[in-house]
């Protein structure tokens, strides 16, 4: 089995694939941190979901406890719960190390097989070269991404955003400002969305009520028209019968009236 794997260079393919995935994972992690850092530069309503949730959680804790005792712990907890493609920030960082370990294991296994078959440990050993190249590329990826500094920078920016920028206001301050004349209270993002959904639901209910009223009015008008048509038809039928009786002989009229009365009274 091992000979089959070595003859087809499967270990080399696994080694190269693990190296590429490990390097790509650190570049993706770099982009994640860069995006989160860019979101903190906007002191208005945040666009990113992570910052929206952190802001809402900060406001909620402020509302319950009047203040947040440990902002740093709140930020770290939010960062630990953050997910991208189902993996947290720490898992993304470890993913590159795991891929490097797989690459080095493949390189070590290939080198041992080459040595057992009379090959050299260094000279002409493609597995040793590929393993060293994978280690260098992974180290460069970690150096370029520099996730440790980016994480520290993100934590500092988030702390400043929550405590010093004024973008996130205390609920008590919002309520006090709402009571002052001529001031417009700052509404939390989630509260604003709930208000919009509630307004849309109320507008929909009003439109449905109007439509139902129009439908009922239309049915009533149609019923009146139908009743008028039936009444007109009955009147025309009575006039037709009277005209028919007038054209008959008096004796025939008397006979027919007696028969009709007899049927009605029987």
């Amino acid at each position: 089995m091992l000979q089959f794997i070595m003859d087809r260079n499967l270990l080399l393919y696994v080694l190269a694939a693990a190296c590429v995935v490990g390097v790509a994972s650190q570049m993706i992690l770099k982009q994640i941190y860069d995006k989160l850092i860019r979101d903190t530069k906007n002191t208005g309503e945040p666009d990113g979901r992570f910052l929206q949730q952190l802001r809402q959680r900060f406001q909620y804790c402020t509302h319950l406890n009047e203040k947040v005792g440990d902002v740093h712990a709140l930020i770290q907890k939010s960062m630990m719960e953050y997910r991208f493609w189902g993996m947290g920030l720490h898992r993304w960082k470890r993913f590159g190390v795991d891929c490097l370990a797989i690459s080095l294991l493949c390189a070590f296994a290939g080198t041992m097989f080459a040595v057992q078959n009379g090959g050299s440990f260094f000279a002409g050993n493609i597995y040793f070269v590929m393993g060293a190249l994978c280690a260098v590329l992974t180290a460069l990826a970690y150096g370029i991404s520099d996730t440790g500094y980016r994480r520290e920078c993100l934590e500092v920016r988030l702390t400043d955003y929550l405590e010093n920028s004024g973008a996130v206001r205390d609920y008590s301050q919002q309520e006090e400002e709402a009571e002052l004349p001529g001031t417009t209270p700052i509404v939390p993002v989630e509260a604003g969305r709930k208000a919009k959904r509630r307004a849309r639901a109320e507008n929909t209910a009003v439109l449905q009520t109007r439509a139902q009223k129009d439908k009922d009015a239309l049915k009533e008008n149609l019923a009146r028209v139908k009743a008028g048509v039936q009444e007109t038809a009955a009147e025309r039928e009575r006039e037709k019968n009277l005209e028919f009786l007038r054209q008959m002989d008096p004796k025939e009229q008397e006979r027919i009236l007696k028969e009709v009365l007899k049927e009605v009274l029987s």
Side-chain angles (χ1 to χ4, degrees):
M1 182 65 179
L2 182 60
Q3 185 66 42
F4 175 83
I5 294 174
M6 298 303 296
D7 291 342
R8 286 161 177 76
N9 296 324
L10 295 181
L11 281 179
L12 281 178
Y13 295 143
V14 174
L15 189 154
C19 179
V20 171
V21 172
V23 171
S25 67
Q26 299 312 299
M27 295 299 101
I28 292 174
L29 182 59
K30 175 180 178 297
Q31 295 300 320
I32 294 173
Y33 275 115
D34 289 342
K35 181 181 182 303
L36 295 177
I37 290 173
R38 283 196 304 270
D39 289 342
T40 60
K41 296 180 181 179
N42 181 16
T43 57
E45 183 175 348
D47 297 328
R49 183 178 180 183
F50 170 76
L51 200 56
Q52 288 179 357
Q53 293 178 344
L54 178 61
R55 176 174 176 168
Q56 292 168 8
R57 182 176 295 177
F58 183 86
Q59 291 175 333
Y60 183 70
C61 293
T62 305
H63 178 63
L64 290 180
N65 308 318
E66 295 183 356
K67 66 177 181 179
V68 179
D70 193 344
V71 178
H72 187 65
L74 178 66
I75 292 173
Q76 285 187 328
K77 183 175 183 295
S78 298
M79 293 178 64
M80 290 171 61
E81 294 175 351
Y82 179 79
R83 293 291 182 271
F84 184 80
W85 290 354
M87 295 193 301
L89 297 175
H90 181 70
R91 188 71 188 88
W92 275 102
K93 186 176 181 179
R94 290 291 303 273
F95 195 68
V97 177
D98 296 340
C99 291
L100 176 62
I102 294 173
S103 299
L104 293 180
L105 285 175
C106 291
F108 180 77
T111 300
M112 291 297 99
F113 183 82
V115 170
Q116 290 178 359
N117 287 274
S120 173
F121 192 86
F122 297 103
N125 188 353
I126 186 64
Y127 290 97
F128 178 81
V129 175
M130 290 294 293
L133 180 62
C134 178
V136 171
L137 291 176
T138 304
L140 287 175
Y142 272 91
I144 293 173
S145 61
D146 198 3
T147 55
Y149 169 76
R150 282 178 165 79
R151 183 182 181 88
E152 181 180 358
C153 180
L154 177 61
E155 291 179 356
V156 171
R157 285 181 174 274
L158 289 174
T159 304
D160 178 70
Y161 176 81
L162 295 178
E163 292 188 334
N164 305 321
S165 66
V168 182
R169 304 298 301 275
D170 191 323
Y171 271 96
S172 60
Q173 294 177 354
Q174 293 178 18
E175 293 173 357
E176 291 175 359
E177 292 180 357
E179 295 175 356
L180 296 176
T183 59
T184 303
I186 300 175
V187 181
V189 177
E190 186 62 24
R193 290 179 176 174
K194 289 182 179 178
K196 290 180 180 179
R197 289 195 293 266
R198 186 165 55 253
R200 285 197 296 266
E202 291 176 355
N203 292 333
T204 303
V206 170
L207 293 176
Q208 290 177 351
T209 303
R210 290 179 180 175
Q212 186 64 33
K213 289 182 178 179
D214 294 340
K215 184 178 180 181
D216 294 340
L218 180 60
K219 288 182 177 179
E220 185 178 354
N221 292 332
L222 290 175
R224 290 177 180 176
V225 171
K226 183 178 180 180
V229 171
Q230 292 177 351
E231 185 177 354
T232 303
E235 184 66 25
R236 290 179 179 176
E237 186 66 23
R238 285 195 297 269
E239 292 178 357
K240 184 177 180 182
N241 292 334
L242 290 174
E243 183 66 24
F244 180 74
L245 288 173
R246 293 191 189 100
Q247 295 177 0
M248 296 175 63
D249 294 336
K251 293 182 179 181
E252 186 68 21
Q253 292 179 1
E254 183 179 357
R255 185 183 65 79
I256 292 176
L257 290 174
K258 287 180 180 180
E259 291 179 357
V260 171
L261 289 173
K262 185 177 179 181
E263 291 178 359
V264 171
L265 296 174
S266 62

